[in-house]
Amino acid sequence: MDVSASLPSFGELLRDYRRRAGFSQEALAERAGLSARAIAALEQGLRRAPYRYTVDALAEALDLADFARREFEETAAHARQRSRDTGTNQPTVSGNIPARLTSFVGRDTEMAELKALLGDHRLVTVTGSGGVGKTRIATEMARAFLGERWNEAWFVDLAPIERGKHVAGAIAEVLGNAAAPAAMALPSLAAQLRRRECLLILDNCEHVIDEVAAAASAISRNCRGITILATSRERLAIDGERVYRLPSLSPVTALHLFEERAKAGDARITFTADERETGAWICRQLEGIPLAIELVARRVPTLGLDVLNARLRDYVVISGGRDIPQRQYAMYATIAWSYDLLRKAEQELLRRLSIFRGAVTLEAAEDVCASGELAREQVAAHMSQLVDKSLVEFTSDAGRSRRYRLLDSVRTFAAEKLAEADELVMIARSHARRMADVADEADELYTTPDRGVWHRRFAPELDDARSAIEWALNSETADDVVLAGRILGGLRGLWLDGERRTEAGWLAERVLARLDGEPPFIVARLLRIAVQAAPNKPAVVAAIERATPVFERINDKIALIGTQLHLAQHCAIRGEFPEADDALARAFTLAADEGLQQSGMYFLMLEHRGANYARSGRLEEARADFAERRQRRTLLGILDHREDAHWEAEIAFIAGNLHEAIALLEQAIAYRGETGTWIDAPSNLAALYLTLGDNAAAMALLRGGLERPPFLRLGNDNIPDALALGELEVRGAVAFIQHMAAVAARSGQLVTAARLYGYTDARYQAVCGFREPLERASYDILIASLHEQLATEEIERYAAEGAQLDLQQSAELALSVIP
């Protein structure tokens, strides 16, 4: 008889202890630093074998006594063992770990040692020389642990990052925030990841080591469910870090790798005893560095061992007078040897590929790299040769085109060769021209009714767009600056539809300063950015006055409509509805004159007017606009209406239909998750839960919201502070903090609540002076709770203190609230 079958499952035990403690799933999740979804999955038996650190976190959050804790831990251990024995109940896993394209040879000892380190520590850095295999062992470790310790493993390639302050944004983007700003602030990043449970690989850290160290430190301190595995040529040097120095391959393993890669090029190859000795000597000269061995071994089928050995010897003779480490020189020399063996056209292609910041499509490589003796029709064949010789990696993701990338060591070498060949300016200009052509295409499609499709198509171009713009702005040639304007203007949606507005505005002003008014269509695109990136209503009005003559000169009615929509938005957040009505009326008149009723712009106009009607109490007019928007989108085959749902939810709330409003907002949040676009749904849903008295549900949403901009400053030293935060961003931030203050007041954290009240009230008065209906609801709850529990003079004293806080300080104070 299996006695264990009669024992409670871990999920049953967890639910029992949680209920005894009086916690909701959301409240326990917050105390344990986990997600409510994780708690629900455990209790429902969807996850029957919890990880050790999850059990520890739950035990601490439940404050279990010794006996109860032992029972808790033993039940979890039994569940893990049962799962291993039966091979059942494996959870769904997710992530973006690169596919394995070649076998993983050796490293059994290193894998075991690294796995032990990751079992005990949440921050491990793998260090070692270039080409030693840091990235490969990190991805293999992810595969070994995925589904065993973590259900998620995410790979962040930092090689394309040029500015260190883009590190946090790159991490956030990989982990699901597609609209993360380039220079995301660390508190915002840590807040975003606080409830995640995953392995996070930060690859190629050395060139942005200080910024990676700061990001890793912030995540480690605040996100107990995340384990970081970094790869770098040097340690991060922060508290909690454990360093694993990855050695070169042992002689036996190195020879095994050499033989296997040689046979990959020709399966008929066999090695005699003498040839194995020659191979072993080659591996010793290459310091046992895997990448160097792969590069050389790929040449065995074409050169033969003896010729290869003779030619390689001259490259890898190490001089005692060199001031770089022997392993580093061996790697460089091997790449140089491999490069010199290439045909001239292959050399041209390799060095020209270094201009790309990340993975590149074949079409892009043909557009940029084909010149001189390298004909466009030859690029594909030469690219295949470079892949076969391990100098270029091939990558392919589901739903994406085939892409190619250079390893960091190879890219560095190739970039040097590009400069030595005096081709840097030519190829950089070719790269910028290609990006400008992509941007022109993007501009034509930007008004598509389904903006999500546009973003999925053009989002992979962001890193190369930034790189091309920066190069063009540093050029003294006027035509190159025009290229920068085309790239930024045509791809403006990558900045303006997300949370990169400050960066966009800063770049637009830099380009405009160089263009001197010509060419008008480029200037017009940049002025659109200037209008949308303007931080407040006076700046918006000034930007419109500056832009309107240019738009009228080139008869750009879409741009003129856009200025009126943006003005209406700024008026509406201040409660200036008559002025917003006038701006919207001008927009609709222009649209009617141009016959734009079936365009994406017209749908946006209906959304803005419907929202304006709702917030000024004209519900029937609001419903009519959203109904027309649905009808027109349906005629075009755009059947997903969740984009409208957050506005329709607001209408339902004003009409008194709270549960309908909640259902609609949940649809809106689902839309946001699929497209990466930002809407106010989480904040509004939290306000609805507050109205219903569900503090725990509100709190779960609010903590998730505090992860996002504008709980940040863009931090780029070159961006003026005056552009760092706009009215629209501040408005969203203040709403989140006000809702959190209401939770604090209801939870008896009165000093915190009063200080947050002081901060939010001062900001509402300074920035907008008007609270929308759901904001008014949480404000009323906050004021009533404070006056029920504190004297008026106490409220005023603490509120005065809160009014002196800045946005980041208030966000940190809000995050300290425990419901």
Side-chain angles (χ1 to χ4, degrees), residues 518-590:
E518 295 292 338
F521 82 98
I522 298 297
V523 172
R525 289 184 189 177
L526 298 173
L527 288 172
R528 289 191 198 181
I529 294 173
V531 170
Q532 294 187 59
N536 51 54
K537 185 187 173 187
V540 169
V541 172
I544 290 174
E545 291 176 351
R546 174 189 180 190
T548 298
V550 177
F551 296 158
E552 290 176 341
R553 176 184 169 190
I554 64 174
N555 196 33
D556 190 342
K557 296 297 178 64
I558 294 292
L560 288 168
I561 291 170
T563 62
Q564 297 306 308
L565 289 181
H566 204 62
L567 177 59
Q569 190 175 16
H570 273 273
C571 292
I573 69 168
R574 293 164 169 264
E576 299 168 353
F577 295 114
E579 190 174 348
D581 287 343
D582 291 342
L584 286 164
R586 290 192 291 271
F588 274 91
T589 298
L590 287 167

Side-chain angles (χ1 to χ4, degrees), residues 6 8 47 49 65 156 201 249 284 288 293 320 379 385 393 506 509 558 568 585 616 637 679 716 726 738 741:
S6 63
R47 283 182 55 190
V156 183
I201 297 175
L249 297 176
R284 288 196 298 274
I293 292 169
V379 170
Q385 287 296 313
E393 281 192 333
W506 170 65
E509 293 299 336
I558 294 292
S616 57
I679 53 178
N716 189 313
Q738 178 185 280

Side-chain angles (χ1 to χ4, degrees), residues 272-283:
T272 66
D274 289 343
E275 287 172 333
R276 287 174 61 84
E277 182 59 34
T278 301
W281 185 92
I282 290 173
C283 292

Side-chain angles (χ1 to χ4, degrees), residues 504-793:
W506 170 65
L507 288 173
E509 293 299 336
R510 288 179 64 194
V511 181
L512 285 167
R514 297 279 307 276
L515 288 178
D516 195 27
E518 295 292 338
F521 82 98
I522 298 297
V523 172
R525 289 184 189 177
L526 298 173
L527 288 172
R528 289 191 198 181
I529 294 173
V531 170
Q532 294 187 59
N536 51 54
K537 185 187 173 187
V540 169
V541 172
I544 290 174
E545 291 176 351
R546 174 189 180 190
T548 298
V550 177
F551 296 158
E552 290 176 341
R553 176 184 169 190
I554 64 174
N555 196 33
D556 190 342
K557 296 297 178 64
I558 294 292
L560 288 168
I561 291 170
T563 62
Q564 297 306 308
L565 289 181
H566 204 62
L567 177 59
Q569 190 175 16
H570 273 273
C571 292
I573 69 168
R574 293 164 169 264
E576 299 168 353
F577 295 114
E579 190 174 348
D581 287 343
D582 291 342
L584 286 164
R586 290 192 291 271
F588 274 91
T589 298
L590 287 167
D593 291 344
E594 294 298 310
L596 297 175
Q597 288 85 347
Q598 290 302 108
S599 69
M601 177 64 78
Y602 195 78
F603 301 157
L604 186 62
M605 292 163 57
L606 289 169
E607 179 183 339
H608 276 279
R609 191 172 68 180
N612 203 46
Y613 283 148
R615 289 172 175 175
S616 57
R618 295 169 284 179
L619 299 188
E620 289 307 313
E621 292 96 327
R623 291 189 180 102
D625 271 353
F626 284 113
E628 181 182 352
R629 189 175 192 272
R630 281 195 303 274
Q631 182 182 25
R632 290 184 179 277
R633 285 167 63 92
T634 301
L635 289 174
L636 293 179
I638 305 172
L639 304 178
D640 190 343
H641 308 307
R642 286 174 291 181
E643 188 176 3
D644 299 331
H646 64 291
W647 298 117
E648 295 176 359
E650 198 163 316
I651 296 172
F653 171 75
I654 296 169
N657 302 321
L658 268 63
H659 292 288
E660 178 186 354
I662 288 174
L664 287 165
L665 283 175
E666 287 175 347
Q667 292 181 33
I669 291 173
Y671 175 83
R672 168 187 166 240
E674 290 180 8
T675 64
T677 56
W678 169 244
I679 53 178
D680 293 331
S683 176
N684 290 345
L685 185 55
L688 281 172
Y689 281 131
L690 283 170
T691 303
L692 292 173
D694 192 340
N695 288 0
M699 185 64 164
L701 285 162
L702 292 170
R703 279 193 174 274
L706 288 172
E707 74 198 31
R708 296 185 61 86
F711 300 103
L712 57 90
R713 298 192 69 83
L714 282 183
N716 189 313
D717 294 336
N718 296 316
I719 298 178
D721 286 343
L723 290 177
L725 216 57
E727 284 180 340
L728 299 177
E729 291 85 1
V730 170
R731 175 59 174 271
V734 172
F736 268 104
I737 293 172
Q738 178 185 280
H739 300 336
M740 191 71 89
V743 173
R746 279 183 168 176
S747 304
Q749 299 162 78
L750 302 177
V751 174
T752 295
R755 286 174 175 156
L756 292 176
Y757 157 66
Y759 170 80
T760 58
D761 201 52
R763 296 305 174 273
Y764 269 113
Q765 296 305 318
V767 176
C768 30
F770 169 76
R771 285 180 170 86
E772 297 167 1
L774 282 161
E775 295 167 358
R776 169 59 63 177
S778 79
Y779 177 78
D780 291 342
I781 291 169
L782 169 60
I783 293 300
S785 296
L786 286 175
H787 281 285
E788 286 174 4
Q789 302 173 79
L790 285 179
T792 299
E793 57 270 20

Side-chain angles (χ1 to χ4, degrees), residues 85 346 499:
D85 292 344
E346 292 170 353
E499 289 129 5

